[in-house]
Amino acid sequence: MDPRARLLRHSPGWQEAASRACASNMGHCLWVGLVDEDKAPLVAERLMSPEMFSGWGIRTLASDMGAYNPASYHNGSVWPHDNAVIVAGLLRYGFVEQAQRIATALLEAADYSGGRLPELFCGFSREQFAEPVPYPTACSPQAWAATTPLQLVTSLMRYDTHVSRGGFWMDPVLPESYGDLHISNAPMAGGRITIDIANSVPSVQGLPDGMVFHQGQRPWLAELVEQAGLGSQAQFDISNTPGKA
């Protein structure tokens, strides 16, 4: 953590020196739980600063960086899937309002492209242009952009299924402007369930045998390891285990 710049320094490659560039990568660190609790507010503050948040999403590079170019591929553009990861990271640390703001901005941006989010769009400020400025060669449809709305909504549902633990967790924080949510025929543990969320209150129908619904958040893997008393013996396994940390 660089306290002067209030950002996490990152390296373009694992053998290269760390850069002082302010990039969206710091939001990924929130997602995987790498940021200390006392540093997380600084990261969230920087992500939501006018230099990073364009009004349509988080830029790949802050507008006060020397290499910033809002019409470039990686140096100031807005990538929907990148933002979906950031939203999940903000929610992990309890920054609900910030996550809602980014998710809503992205879904509003989709209105200007036929309801479909492109691979990326330019990072010009929403105050500068009333619509997201298209990136000339952005793919649309594009797989990870197409999954962004799903990730945004499930993140705001705080939806998490762990079949091996026989549990299904949900603690919605959907913005009031989204209205009620109805999901039918969702696969789970060999069955199909129906989910309804009204006024942030969830209900579930059709849970398969052995699955229990919990209103709340599933404990993180690191918390489960601590509860099991495995301590430092499990640190290597955790760091090399894909999935929720």
Side-chain angles (χ1 to χ4, degrees):
M1 186 78 185
D2 188 331
R4 295 167 297 176
R6 293 190 174 186
L7 54 88
L8 291 164
R9 302 183 71 176
H10 70 282
S11 172
W14 70 277
Q15 289 183 318
E16 298 181 49
S19 167
R20 284 180 56 85
C22 182
S24 60
N25 306 59
M26 69 178 92
H28 300 195
C29 295
L30 293 175
W31 181 47
V32 296
L34 288 177
V35 183
D36 293 338
E37 291 287 343
D38 63 327
K39 306 297 193 306
L42 299 177
V43 175
E45 178 184 348
R46 190 66 165 117
L47 285 169
M48 301 307 299
S49 68
E51 293 78 22
M52 288 296 291
F53 182 61
S54 73
W56 299 111
I58 303 296
R59 299 179 174 102
T60 49
L61 188 70
S63 61
D64 55 355
M65 297 290 106
Y68 171 71
N69 178 354
S72 66
Y73 195 56
H74 278 136
N75 292 334
S77 55
V78 174
W79 290 66
H81 83 280
D82 185 36
N83 277 255
V85 171
I86 294 170
V87 165
L90 288 167
L91 287 167
R92 175 168 186 162
Y93 282 82
F95 298 107
V96 173
E97 182 180 353
Q98 294 87 337
Q100 291 174 333
R101 188 178 175 194
I102 296 170
T104 300
L106 284 169
L107 295 178
E108 289 173 347
D111 287 340
Y112 296 96
S113 53
R116 173 193 290 165
L117 284 168
E119 177 187 12
L120 74 158
F121 46 87
C122 294
F124 294 104
S125 169
R126 192 167 184 165
E127 296 178 354
Q128 188 176 1
F129 294 100
E131 300 181 12
V133 177
Y135 185 81
T137 58
C139 295
S140 184
Q142 204 252 20
W144 54 31
T147 61
T148 292
L150 300 178
Q151 178 65 39
L152 292 174
V153 171
T154 53
S155 291
L156 291 169
M157 291 168 64
R158 295 201 280 201
Y159 171 101
D160 198 349
T161 302
H162 200 312
V163 175
S164 64
R165 290 179 60 85
F168 164 47
W169 286 260
M170 190 163 49
D171 190 19
V173 288
L174 292 161
E176 185 178 349
S177 61
Y178 287 22
D180 296 342
L181 178 67
H182 174 77
I183 299 175
S184 60
N185 205 36
M188 179 181 291
R192 298 280 172 170
I193 66 171
T194 298
I195 300 171
D196 285 285
I197 300 175
N199 298 319
S200 293
V201 178
S203 62
V204 183
Q205 297 178 359
L207 274 174
D209 292 340
M211 295 295 291
V212 178
F213 170 57
H214 307 274
Q215 185 167 353
Q217 290 184 270
R218 177 173 75 82
W220 298 98
L221 179 57
E223 296 171 358
L224 296 175
V225 168
E226 185 176 350
Q227 292 172 10
L230 299 178
S232 60
Q233 296 178 352
Q235 287 181 1
F236 178 80
D237 293 334
I238 292 174
S239 64
N240 288 277
T241 301
K244 197 166 186 179

